[in-house]
Amino acid sequence: MFRRSWNRFCAGEEKRVGTRTVFVGNHPISETEAYIAQRFCDNRIVSSKYTLWNFLPKNLFEQFRRIANFYFLIIFLVQVTVDTPTSPVTSGLPLFFVITVTAIKQGYEDWLRHRADNEVNKSTVNIIENAKRVKKECEKIKVGDVVEVQADETFPCDLILLSSCTSDGTCYVTTASLDGESNCKTHYAVRDTIALCTAESIDTLRAAIECEQPQPDLYKFVGRINIYSNSLEAVARSLGPENLLLKGATLKSTRKIYGVAVYTGMETKMALNYQGKSQKRSAVEKSINTFLIVYLFILLTKAAVCTTLKYVWQSYPYNDEPWYNQKTQKERETLKVLKMFTDFLSFMVLFNFIIPVSMYVTVEMQKFLGSFFISWDKDFYDEEIKEGALVNTSDLNEELGQVDYVFTDKTGTLTENSMEFIECCIDGHKYNGVTEEVDGLSRTDGPLTHFDKADKNKEELFLRALCLCHTVEIKTNDAVDGATESTELTYVSSSPDEIALVKGAKKYGFTFLGTRNDCMRVENQRKEIEEYELLHTLNFDPVRRRMSVIVKDQKGDIYLFCKGADSAIFPRIQIPEPESTKLRNAIDSTKQHVERSAMNGYRTLGVAFKNIAPDDYERINRQLIEAKMALQDREEKMEEVLDDIETNMNLIGATAVEDKLQDQAAETIEALHAAGLKVWVLTGDKMETAKSTCYACRLFQTSTELLELTTKTIKECERKDRLHELLIEYRKKLLREFPKSTKRNCKKRAWTDQEYGLIIDGATLSLILNSSQECGSSNYKSIFLQICMKCTAVLCCRMAPLQKAQIVRMVKNLKGSPITLSIGDGANDVSMILESHVGIGIKGKEGRQAARNSDYSVPKFKHLKKLLLAHGHLYYVRIAHLVQYFFYKNLCFILPQFLYQFFCGFSQQVYGNWTFGTIVFTVLVFTVTLKLALDTRFWTWINHFVIWGSLAFYVFFSFFWGGIIWPFLKQQRMYFVFAQMLSSVSTWLAIVFLIFISLFPEILLIVLKTVRRRSARNLNLELPMLLSYKHIDSGYS
């Protein structure tokens, strides 16, 4: 809301929709035309929440939205306006303290945000004006300004790259501050501006950029640049994400670049991603509000009872106006209804401390300080990345101990996401080789091991495809200019799969040497350098699940090389003629190889190619340029063109890459199962690969009977009918096995029951979730949920990110509202992390998007075991005791006051004065404090200091307060009362006896529990070693 208001204030064209036009350097296209400067948002970053003038009203409004704070404000106003038995100070002072402490905390945090904003806004940048470099403050950058950025500097706004110090107009950028990816990414300038690499030449550029309005997607940008020459003939070039340099990213391995500002300030993609996640509230916090409502009802009941009994008592004349307390004339003339209402309010004030005003602050402090135990835990420290656990929110600490369902990604979460090329299949023939690692590079150790052998030309074509079909860049580790091919090369890519494939080709003798002037260079097995002109790169996207390149060799032949998921490649293979038996056998053998590799747990990709005739390329090139130049619906148009290009291809082979299981992943899942948690795996991988991983990590046991709801088990024809049959069949089977079982008899069944696991893919899930509109299929979802609840584990494969979130939401809405937890490491896991009650991010190799959007982040999946079963359990125990103790304490202090009204004629007197009240109050203080000592499980010096120090302070303060005549008090009711009280033996006996009687039930319960625990320990029961006991107390039904 604040950002929208800010944008409305600073943006001059509120009605702008669709696209914006930016003039490079804010120069007019023609000197004869009048130039009207456009108004855009300035480059100030505002991440703060308050300003000096709105801090007080805004902060007070937010604090009084809490039930307890608003309640005590009402009580304070009643005490001020109505004659009540207690002073307004008794509720006003605690409320003022709580509000002040919270305001100071929030104000300090916002001041830190203001300071951070000023550091960014006041930093100096270089702007090109009138062919000169001018230093300005960052906040003074305007849209259209040409900015010069030096090496290792961060980009001050979103820029379109115009030129760099390199001859090909490229630069390297790291986006760790945006998405956590530390890999260098390559960005490009359009070919018409790469020569403008000085301040004088860049100032001569006359161009206009048309692009989309600001939107938060970091990986999407649509635009075009129109470059005008002296003849005013515009040359149009398309612009995409590869041309956009984002604010917050850092320039690396490039001396300097020139870029034009297109988005500034709060319209940059980084600022648009500031929008907070939806506020998650823990179950304990919700129960606190329930407690408050219950205790508020108790308060109203007490006030109503006392008000009623007061007027019953005063129905007798001698009780209504005794001789020692005569009414005034004004009191006699007051309406009885009004008097009853004021008495009711007075009783509410008298009993108001049943609602704990300081509980919210105490709970927040407990959560905040308790979160440091996670950050300080050395078991969470990972030597590989040199990082430990991170707590992004402390509001959900206790929620970690109540999780019922765990939803986990596979790649990078259960596995390492460290890819290693294992084997390949070329033209139906299987190849694998033994490699030796030397200084991080792979080389062939002897001849290739193969089963039969493909044609030599097919082998080389396959390896060329691996060397050409990728987005890998070369980082040269040699500082000497003019590095040769012998220089040590480091492969850089945002995808570890691609690096593994390029290294796999290197293992077989084909080495990718990098791209120079749009030419990809490859060293073949004969040590010859082959050059291919890169015509187009058709990038990977999760919908197509493949990527392609179009290249031209030195002979002028044009090829399309494509790699992707087997389900995205095989349907696009050219169907061989019936008489082409050899070709059909090769395709069938490759499919079998892919299935076997997937069953072994490997990640597989299909590789294909096709020749493109020059005439066809002219058509393809024209279509691609038209689609890339579109400002509206560019993605849809590109999808249509790519769908037409990537057809009728020839299959070359397939690859198998291993993603190793993470350390202790299997032990962690077993521990979660033993604790009663259900684990679901949600992955985009194919079923065979995911199933193999689930067996390896012991999600599925060898004895587990798997129920499949996939496209393989559901025939293409009449899929709805077959799906309905399977759902009914599986439900009947599980209901026969588990007839309406409960947790009570679950222990008895756990030793003998058959385990069931469910496997479902994305296509079948779509049928189930989207079937509610059809009357005959309206119960698909409910039947599916019944099946899931009866299974010990569930595997969902071929899942899109949105489907992952749908699965989590579906389980969240189950009867009983189970607590859900999602854990993942990639950007495709963010949706389910945000959807679940608790989101855990893995600091993995797919970037830090998941970690940045999570509530907690840990280096490895194995850390989930201690996070939930140790920290989560203890957090829940602590917060539960704290909340219950608060309400117990307040109830103890209010109950005697309520009972005292029966002895004072419901006159709203306070028992706290003089000897009787002091005795009662002393008994209460010692009782509730010793109750806390009895509930303490582990004693430290802090416990001793707080508990015994509190009692000592009470005694000291009572002596001090009653031993001095205070000049600012009108009445000295407590003067020397405490000292006189303790001089009486009967008082001592009464205090000790009352404390003992109050705590006797608690002491008796502790003794009985201790005796029972010791007797159980003496039985020395041992579980059979050969039987699995992981289901005990699991609650599976």
Side-chain angles (χ1 to χ4, degrees):
M1 180 182 294
F2 178 75
R3 184 167 62 250
R4 289 196 296 267
S5 301
W6 172 259
N7 287 339
R8 284 198 295 269
F9 172 77
C10 63
E13 298 181 39
E14 176 63 23
K15 299 297 182 181
R16 290 196 316 269
V17 293
T19 63
R20 63 167 53 184
T21 302
V22 177
F23 295 97
V24 177
N26 288 313
H27 296 310
I29 300 303
S30 173
E31 296 181 357
T32 60
E33 296 179 3
Y35 172 67
I36 301 175
Q38 299 183 82
R39 296 179 62 190
F40 296 102
C41 180
D42 61 27
N43 201 39
R44 281 180 292 175
I45 286 293
V46 181
S47 62
S48 55
K49 189 176 181 180
Y50 305 106
T51 61
L52 192 61
W53 61 269
N54 74 357
F55 172 74
L56 192 60
K58 191 172 183 179
N59 185 265
L60 290 177
F61 173 75
E62 291 177 348
Q63 291 203 58
F64 283 115
R65 290 170 65 183
R66 284 183 166 175
I67 296 176
N69 290 346
F70 184 74
Y71 162 78
F72 271 93
L73 175 65
I74 297 299
I75 292 297
F76 174 72
L77 295 177
V78 169
Q79 288 178 303
V80 172
T81 57
V82 179
D83 184 18
T84 58
T86 57
S87 169
V89 177
T90 57
S91 59
L93 190 60
L95 179 63
F96 176 78
F97 174 78
V98 170
I99 295 297
T100 303
V101 169
T102 305
I104 292 174
K105 170 181 172 290
Q106 295 179 352
Y108 174 72
E109 291 175 348
D110 201 62
W111 175 77
L112 294 178
R113 288 191 285 266
H114 272 282
R115 190 174 67 175
D117 290 343
N118 287 331
E119 289 179 0
V120 175
N121 294 332
K122 300 298 181 182
S123 61
T124 58
V125 295
N126 293 322
I127 308 294
I128 305 302
E129 291 183 354
N130 299 322
K132 295 181 180 179
R133 186 187 298 111
V134 179
K135 288 188 176 296
K136 285 188 175 182
E137 292 181 345
C138 181
E139 65 181 4
K140 295 182 179 179
I141 295 177
K142 302 187 299 295
V143 171
D145 284 346
V146 177
V147 182
E148 178 185 292
V149 181
Q150 305 285 340
D152 298 322
E153 292 181 352
T154 58
F155 300 116
C157 56
D158 290 349
L159 305 170
I160 291 295
L161 178 61
L162 297 176
S163 63
S164 71
C165 62
T166 61
S167 59
D168 56 357
T170 60
C171 70
Y172 293 99
V173 170
T174 59
T175 57
S177 61
L178 297 174
D179 56 16
E181 295 185 10
S182 57
N183 293 335
C184 286
K185 300 177 180 177
T186 308
H187 289 256
Y188 306 90
V190 295
R191 66 184 69 174
D192 305 86
T193 62
I194 58 177
L196 307 176
C197 52
T198 63
E200 293 78 11
S201 60
I202 203 73
D203 194 59
T204 63
L205 177 64
R206 296 296 180 268
I209 295 174
E210 296 176 83
C211 60
E212 61 186 358
Q213 291 290 1
Q215 52 99 2
D217 192 339
L218 297 177
Y219 309 102
K220 180 183 177 183
F221 176 75
V222 175
R224 64 170 173 248
I225 180 171
N226 299 307
I227 304 171
Y228 296 85
S229 61
N230 294 331
S231 61
L232 296 180
E233 293 181 358
V235 177
R237 303 293 183 194
S238 65
L239 298 174
E242 67 277 4
N243 308 112
L244 183 67
L245 305 174
L246 299 178
K247 177 182 176 64
T250 305
L251 183 64
K252 293 289 185 182
S253 303
T254 310
R255 187 165 51 84
K256 70 175 180 179
I257 64 100
Y258 291 102
V260 58
V262 288
Y263 304 132
T264 53
M266 300 307 293
E267 292 183 340
T268 60
K269 290 182 179 289
M270 184 182 75
L272 293 177
N273 278 276
Y274 283 156
Q275 57 185 6
K277 301 167 287 187
S278 59
Q279 185 67 29
K280 295 182 179 180
R281 298 172 59 209
S282 68
V284 169
E285 185 176 349
K286 296 174 184 177
S287 67
I288 289 176
N289 290 335
T290 304
F291 269 115
L292 288 176
I293 294 174
V294 171
Y295 274 68
L296 183 61
F297 177 76
I298 295 174
L299 171 64
L300 294 174
T301 303
K302 285 184 175 182
V305 168
C306 288
T307 304
T308 303
L309 293 178
K310 177 179 181 178
Y311 283 90
V312 172
W313 169 266
Q314 291 180 353
S315 61
Y316 300 97
Y318 53 85
N319 291 333
D320 182 33
E321 193 173 354
W323 60 269
Y324 56 84
N325 189 17
Q326 296 290 318
K327 292 182 179 180
T328 62
Q329 186 64 29
K330 183 178 180 180
E331 290 176 336
R332 293 191 181 98
E333 295 175 355
T334 303
L335 290 175
K336 192 169 185 179
V337 175
L338 181 61
K339 187 66 173 68
M340 292 179 66
F341 179 70
T342 56
D343 284 335
F344 177 78
L345 294 179
S346 298
F347 278 115
M348 282 195 64
V349 171
L350 186 65
F351 304 140
N352 76 87
F353 286 107
I354 194 173
I355 306 294
V357 64
S358 61
M359 185 178 64
Y360 276 115
V361 175
T362 307
V363 168
E364 284 188 359
M365 290 179 60
Q366 193 271 349
K367 289 183 176 182
F368 175 72
L369 297 177
S371 64
F372 286 103
F373 288 109
I374 295 178
S375 303
W376 292 338
D377 196 326
K378 294 181 179 179
D379 291 337
F380 292 156
Y381 185 79
D382 186 72
E383 291 290 343
E384 182 180 352
I385 63 174
K386 304 296 182 184
E387 293 184 41
L390 179 65
V391 178
N392 295 325
T393 175
S394 60
D395 294 334
L396 305 173
N397 292 343
E398 66 278 3
E399 205 84 334
L400 294 169
Q402 304 177 80
V403 173
D404 298 304
Y405 288 85
V406 175
F407 300 93
T408 175
D409 180 39
K410 185 185 76 69
T411 305
T413 305
L414 295 177
T415 60
E416 289 282 359
N417 200 16
S418 178
M419 308 301 176
E420 180 183 356
F421 187 90
I422 299 299
E423 61 188 23
C424 62
C425 177
I426 304 175
D427 199 27
H429 302 279
K430 181 180 176 182
Y431 291 77
N432 61 16
V434 182
T435 61
E436 178 184 358
E437 295 292 333
V438 180
D439 296 331
L441 299 175
S442 301
R443 69 184 184 193
T444 303
D445 184 20
L448 300 180
T449 303
H450 55 82
F451 303 86
D452 203 352
K453 190 175 177 65
D455 182 72
K456 182 67 175 178
N457 293 331
K458 283 290 184 68
E459 288 181 357
E460 293 186 353
L461 183 63
F462 177 81
L463 296 174
R464 285 191 184 95
L466 296 187
C467 285
L468 296 173
C469 188
H470 56 73
T471 57
V472 175
E473 297 290 338
I474 297 292
K475 235 178 136 179
T476 306
N477 295 334
D478 195 323
V480 181
D481 292 335
T484 64
E485 283 74 26
S486 61
T487 304
E488 180 182 330
L489 302 175
T490 301
Y491 295 121
V492 176
S493 175
S494 58
S495 171
D497 296 72
E498 291 197 322
I499 296 178
L501 294 177
V502 172
K503 285 187 175 182
K506 189 178 192 306
K507 178 174 70 173
Y508 290 150
F510 273 71
T511 304
F512 174 62
L513 300 178
T515 305
R516 182 182 299 172
N517 298 327
D518 288 334
C519 284
M520 303 183 76
R521 306 172 71 244
V522 177
E523 182 183 81
N524 60 28
Q525 293 173 335
R526 297 179 293 277
K527 304 301 181 184
E528 298 171 349
I529 306 300
E530 301 177 0
E531 291 192 354
Y532 297 84
E533 182 183 353
L534 180 61
L535 301 177
H536 289 283
T537 300
L538 313 180
N539 289 318
F540 174 87
D541 66 70
V543 178
R544 288 164 51 234
R545 291 180 296 169
R546 59 186 179 273
M547 75 150 298
S548 303
V549 293
I550 301 177
V551 297
K552 181 192 289 186
D553 65 9
Q554 293 168 317
K555 298 178 182 178
D557 296 329
I558 300 175
Y559 297 93
L560 173 115
F561 291 104
C562 180
K563 74 172 189 287
D566 58 308
S567 59
I569 295 294
F570 287 124
R572 296 181 169 271
I573 298 300
Q574 186 175 8
I575 300 175
E577 297 295 332
E579 61 271 12
S580 303
T581 307
K582 183 178 179 180
L583 186 57
R584 284 182 174 276
N585 292 338
I587 295 176
D588 294 337
S589 299
T590 304
K591 289 182 178 180
Q592 293 174 9
H593 168 78
V594 168
E595 292 178 359
R596 284 195 300 267
S597 298
M599 292 181 65
N600 292 331
Y602 300 145
R603 293 165 62 89
T604 58
L605 292 175
V607 182
F609 89 105
K610 77 174 181 178
N611 293 95
I612 301 178
D615 293 340
D616 291 336
Y617 175 72
E618 291 298 327
R619 176 182 56 83
I620 291 172
N621 183 55
R622 184 173 61 254
Q623 291 176 344
L624 284 173
I625 291 176
E626 290 176 358
K628 289 181 179 179
M629 293 296 292
L631 293 181
Q632 303 293 334
D633 302 324
R634 177 183 290 186
E635 292 183 353
E636 290 77 7
K637 294 177 181 179
M638 283 294 296
E639 184 179 348
E640 292 179 5
V641 175
L642 297 181
D643 186 68
D644 179 60
I645 295 173
E646 296 169 332
T647 55
N648 294 324
M649 297 184 291
N650 301 303
L651 182 66
I652 316 175
T655 62
V657 176
E658 182 183 20
D659 190 4
K660 296 181 179 178
L661 202 66
Q662 279 201 14
D663 182 37
Q664 298 184 30
E667 290 81 357
T668 302
I669 288 181
E670 280 198 330
L672 296 178
H673 271 165
L677 281 70
K678 286 191 176 183
V679 181
W680 292 25
V681 175
L682 313 181
T683 178
D685 275 357
K686 60 181 67 68
M687 186 187 74
E688 292 79 8
T689 305
K691 187 195 298 186
S692 177
T693 303
C694 288
Y695 276 113
C697 67
R698 301 175 200 167
L699 183 71
F700 295 153
Q701 304 293 331
T702 54
S703 59
T704 302
E705 182 177 343
L706 298 181
L707 310 177
E708 293 188 10
L709 289 172
T710 63
T711 51
K712 287 186 178 181
T713 57
I714 302 174
K715 298 178 181 179
E716 290 295 330
C717 57
E718 299 180 353
R719 298 180 65 186
K720 291 273 186 179
D721 295 337
R722 179 57 180 159
L723 175 60
H724 186 262
E725 291 175 4
L726 281 177
L727 288 172
I728 297 298
E729 177 186 341
Y730 290 162
R731 183 177 67 171
K732 289 181 178 179
K733 185 174 187 177
L734 291 171
L735 289 178
R736 285 198 304 267
E737 189 74 26
F738 310 123
K740 288 192 178 181
S741 54
T742 61
K743 289 187 177 181
R744 180 175 299 178
N745 59 22
C746 186
K747 287 184 180 181
K748 300 177 182 178
R749 299 191 296 103
W751 300 94
T752 58
D753 280 347
Q754 167 69 47
E755 290 184 357
Y756 288 92
L758 177 66
I759 300 177
I760 186 171
D761 60 11
T764 310
L765 180 67
S766 296
L767 287 176
I768 293 174
L769 296 181
N770 300 329
S771 62
S772 58
Q773 297 178 355
E774 302 182 16
C775 58
S777 305
S778 59
N779 60 343
Y780 279 11
K781 185 176 178 181
S782 61
I783 298 175
F784 171 69
L785 285 174
Q786 293 176 32
I787 295 172
C788 290
M789 297 305 101
K790 301 293 183 181
C791 292
T792 57
V794 177
L795 166 62
C796 304
C797 52
R798 294 298 194 191
M799 289 284 129
L802 183 60
Q803 287 181 314
K804 293 183 178 183
Q806 288 176 331
I807 287 283
V808 176
R809 189 182 307 116
M810 183 175 62
V811 175
K812 276 175 61 178
N813 296 330
L814 285 174
K815 184 179 180 180
S817 301
I819 305 299
T820 59
L821 178 146
S822 296
I823 180 169
D825 73 315
N828 60 333
D829 303 317
V830 170
S831 56
M832 73 171 182
I833 286 175
L834 296 178
E835 181 64 38
S836 61
H837 292 94
V838 183
I840 309 292
I842 299 288
K843 299 177 180 180
K845 299 179 181 179
E846 294 187 9
R848 296 293 176 89
Q849 298 97 319
R852 289 166 64 88
N853 286 276
S854 64
D855 304 303
Y856 304 86
S857 60
V858 292
K860 299 291 184 183
F861 179 78
K862 65 179 181 181
H863 298 139
L864 189 65
K865 176 181 175 181
K866 186 174 184 181
L867 185 66
L868 298 186
L869 306 185
H871 288 283
H873 171 73
L874 292 176
Y875 280 135
Y876 180 64
V877 170
R878 294 187 193 114
I879 199 72
H881 277 288
L882 176 64
V883 173
Q884 292 177 14
Y885 180 76
F886 251 101
F887 285 107
Y888 160 80
K889 171 177 64 69
N890 285 37
L891 192 60
C892 285
F893 277 90
I894 291 302
L895 187 59
Q897 183 68 67
F898 174 71
L899 298 177
Y900 184 67
Q901 298 306 303
F902 288 86
F903 294 90
C904 66
F906 304 97
S907 58
Q908 302 160 3
Q909 291 186 30
V910 180
Y911 68 82
N913 295 325
W914 301 292
T915 304
F916 173 75
T918 304
I919 292 175
V920 174
F921 201 80
T922 302
V923 170
L924 290 174
V925 169
F926 274 80
T927 299
V928 297
T929 306
L930 292 176
K931 172 66 166 62
L932 181 62
L934 292 174
D935 286 343
T936 301
R937 297 187 176 188
F938 304 101
W939 285 91
T940 64
W941 68 268
I942 298 178
N943 298 88
H944 287 289
F945 176 77
V946 171
I947 292 177
W948 312 126
S950 298
L951 297 177
F953 177 78
Y954 169 75
V955 175
F956 170 78
F957 181 80
S958 299
F959 271 115
F960 183 70
W961 181 256
I964 298 176
I965 298 179
W966 300 97
F968 55 83
L969 293 179
K970 296 180 180 180
Q971 298 176 339
Q972 301 288 327
R973 296 178 177 177
M974 299 300 296
Y975 180 68
F976 220 70
V977 171
F978 194 78
Q980 186 66 29
M981 179 190 73
L982 294 183
S983 64
S984 171
V985 176
S986 59
T987 302
W988 277 93
L989 292 175
I991 291 175
V992 173
F993 179 74
L994 290 175
I995 294 174
F996 175 76
I997 291 298
S998 301
L999 296 177
F1000 179 74
E1002 184 74 18
I1003 296 172
L1004 183 61
L1005 186 62
I1006 292 175
V1007 171
L1008 293 176
K1009 284 184 177 180
T1010 304
V1011 172
R1012 184 179 179 182
R1013 191 182 303 117
R1014 288 181 178 177
S1015 60
R1017 189 182 304 163
N1018 293 333
L1019 293 177
N1020 293 325
L1021 290 177
E1022 293 186 1
L1023 293 172
M1025 297 299 294
L1026 297 179
L1027 292 178
S1028 171
Y1029 53 90
K1030 73 176 187 177
H1031 301 82
I1032 293 184
D1033 288 329
S1034 66
Y1036 294 144
S1037 59

